[in-house]
Structure formats: structure tokens, C-alpha cells
């Protein structure tokens, strides 16, 4: 009963380094999301994938890329990390977008860019 | 633009007190979600509701669609209820989140 699994849990990067945050869900959900959480702000959508094979930009996509590798996996890539990308990142999934379905969240990745 | 507003931002209560957290939203929604986040922890879904009222243990969530307002109540609060409570609304393909209410329950 893993639900949504994110890796890594913690990461420190130097400015300009790249990294990929991994997310996998085992609930056969169609829709997957990447959010960032910053102090004093609500969760903000970076990218989402409404279904396998599609991805769309959210509110704050600049500096990020995503890949919906298959139905289970949705990765988030930082090509050249910047201090402004220091944040807690959450992956989420739900059965389908555009409907009243429950969302399931991963445990978060705490990223610090120095 | 804040599609979802929560109040209060911070709340301190004595153990045993009745707690209410409020959420107002401005978009038409498919459902409203209440989420819980413990310090340093992940996010857990408490309720999803589109009308009326739901109860789970000491937690009760209500929604008034006409007024675009929801409340989360905690009866007989306990220190383990200390967490951030987040209201989120589902609209089209996305969720919109409030900034959260940080609750501290003192023994």
C-alpha cells in the first residue's frame, strides 16, 4: 500500500546543477501533478499530466521540465538549479482530472539550492 | 489572485477545545478537499466533499455551495491534532490551495 512515492526526500544542490525528482504511484491513477510549497504560500502547481502521454504547464513552470514516463511515473527535472527553486516539492495523483476525485500526495522532497 | 482563502492563519487552542477553521473560495468547484500536514511531513487527505457534511472521528467538515464556504471542525482537540490544515478546491483539471491554518493544541 505504497500510494505515491517520491525520491529523494532531501537534496542539496549547487546553483547550476541539474537533478530529477522521481514520483511513482501504484493506484493506477490517470492524473499526476507536481507542486511546490513555499512559506506563506499555498501549494502552487508546476506541471500536471491529465493522462498518460500528456503534460501541461501549471502556475509556475519556468525552470522545470517534466516527463510522464508511463502511467505510474511522473518526473520533474531542474536543468539548472537556482536558489529561487529552494522549496518543498510534492507529487500528487488522482484517478482522473476534472472530477471530484480524491488526491493522494507523496511525502515531499525538500530541496535546497545553494 | 486567491481563489481560496482560509482563516485563521494561526490558531492555538487548549486541549479539549472545539476548533473551527474556515475556507472561502471564488471558483465553481467539483469538490472541496481538506488536507492535513504535520511538521516536516507529507500531506494527507482528510475529506473530500461537494455538498452537506462529513464526519470522521472527531473531525467534521461542512460545505455550503451557495455561499462558497466550508468549515473544518475538530471536537475535543488533542495535541496530536497539531498540524497545518489546508483547504483545496478542485476546478477543471487543477486544484487551488489555501495557504493553510497552523494549529497548535497545548496540553
Amino acid at each position: 500500500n505504497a500510494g505515491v512515492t517520491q525520491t529523494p526526500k532531501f537534496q542539496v544542490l549547487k546553483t547550476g546543477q541539474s537533478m530529477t525528482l522521481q514520483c511513482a504511484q501504484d493506484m493506477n491513477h490517470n492524473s499526476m501533478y507536481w507542486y511546490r510549497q513555499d512559506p506563506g504560500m499555498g501549494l502552487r502547481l508546476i506541471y500536471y499530466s491529465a493522462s498518460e502521454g500528456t503534460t501541461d504547464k501549471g502556475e509556475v513552470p519556468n525552470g522545470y521540465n517534466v516527463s510522464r514516463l508511463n502511467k505510474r511515473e511522473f518526473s520533474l527535472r531542474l536543468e539548472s538549479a537556482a536558489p529561487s527553486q529552494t522549496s518543498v516539492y510534492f507529487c500528487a495523483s488522482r484517478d482522473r482530472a476534472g472530477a471530484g476525485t480524491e488526491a493522494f500526495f507523496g511525502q515531499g522532497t525538500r530541496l535546497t539550492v545553494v | 489572485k486567491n481563489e481560496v482563502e482560509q482563516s485563521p492563519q494561526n490558531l492555538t487552542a487548549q486541549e479539549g477545545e472545539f476548533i473551527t477553521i474556515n475556507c472561502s473560495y471564488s471558483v465553481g468547484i467539483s469538490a472541496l478537499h481538506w488536507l492535513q500536514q504535520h511538521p516536516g511531513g507529507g500531506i494527507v487527505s482528510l475529506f473530500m466533499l461537494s455538498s452537506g457534511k462529513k464526519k470522521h472521528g472527531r473531525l467534521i467538515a461542512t460545505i455550503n455551495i451557495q455561499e462558497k464556504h466550508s468549515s473544518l471542525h475538530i471536537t475535543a482537540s488533542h495535541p496530536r491534532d497539531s498540524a497545518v490544515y489546508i483547504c483545496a478546491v478542485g476546478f477543471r483539471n487543477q486544484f487551488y490551495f489555501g495557504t493553510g491554518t497552523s494549529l497548535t493544541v497545548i496540553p
Side-chain angles (χ1 to χ4, degrees):
Chain A
N1 88 52
V4 179
T5 303
Q6 280 183 242
T7 55
K9 286 191 168 54
F10 300 93
Q11 184 71 49
V12 178
L13 288 179
K14 293 183 179 177
T15 298
Q17 285 186 316
S18 62
M19 78 162 294
T20 300
L21 280 65
Q22 307 285 356
C23 175
Q25 51 89 10
D26 61 3
M27 296 169 283
N28 202 37
H29 285 170
N30 290 298
S31 301
M32 298 184 74
Y33 305 80
W34 276 106
Y35 296 96
R36 60 178 289 171
Q37 185 181 42
D38 300 294
M41 306 185 77
L43 286 149
R44 292 183 293 168
L45 182 65
I46 305 171
Y47 271 93
Y48 69 100
S49 171
S51 62
E52 186 179 358
T54 69
T55 60
D56 286 286
K57 294 179 181 180
E59 183 184 353
V60 288
N62 291 344
Y64 305 95
N65 284 302
V66 290
S67 295
R68 184 74 183 265
L69 303 168
N70 46 55
K71 193 170 185 181
R72 287 187 67 247
E73 298 171 288
F74 188 39
S75 62
L76 178 72
R77 183 158 179 84
L78 287 70
E79 290 292 351
S80 179
S84 61
Q85 294 177 304
T86 293
S87 188
V88 181
Y89 292 84
F90 286 96
C91 177
S93 72
R94 61 173 171 163
D95 187 25
R96 58 193 184 282
T101 54
E102 187 177 2
F104 294 82
F105 290 82
Q107 286 296 301
T109 296
R110 282 151 183 79
L111 175 66
T112 302
V113 183
V114 297
Chain B
K1 58 176 178 161
N2 287 320
E3 290 83 2
V4 182
E5 298 278 358
Q6 276 185 248
S7 64
Q9 282 190 316
N10 297 286
L11 183 55
T12 301
Q14 290 292 132
E15 183 173 356
E17 283 187 8
F18 181 85
I19 289 162
T20 296
I21 300 170
N22 295 300
C23 175
S24 297
Y25 54 91
S26 59
V27 294
I29 64 171
S30 51
L32 184 141
H33 305 252
W34 281 103
L35 311 170
Q36 181 191 56
Q37 184 178 25
H38 280 103
I43 297 170
V44 175
S45 177
L46 296 174
F47 294 102
M48 181 185 72
L49 63 165
S50 53
S51 65
K53 175 179 171 178
K54 286 190 175 180
K55 185 174 189 289
H56 185 246
R58 296 179 294 104
L59 274 60
I60 303 166
T62 63
I63 188 168
N64 184 318
I65 297 293
Q66 286 73 30
E67 294 186 4
K68 294 187 176 179
H69 181 269
S70 175
S71 293
L72 176 68
H73 305 286
I74 304 175
T75 62
S77 59
H78 189 277
R80 65 174 175 265
D81 297 325
S82 297
V84 175
Y85 293 84
I86 301 169
C87 173
V89 298
F91 178 61
R92 294 179 181 167
N93 290 333
Q94 300 185 25
F95 290 104
Y96 295 93
F97 296 86
T99 54
T101 295
S102 179
L103 171 65
T104 302
V105 181
I106 299 170

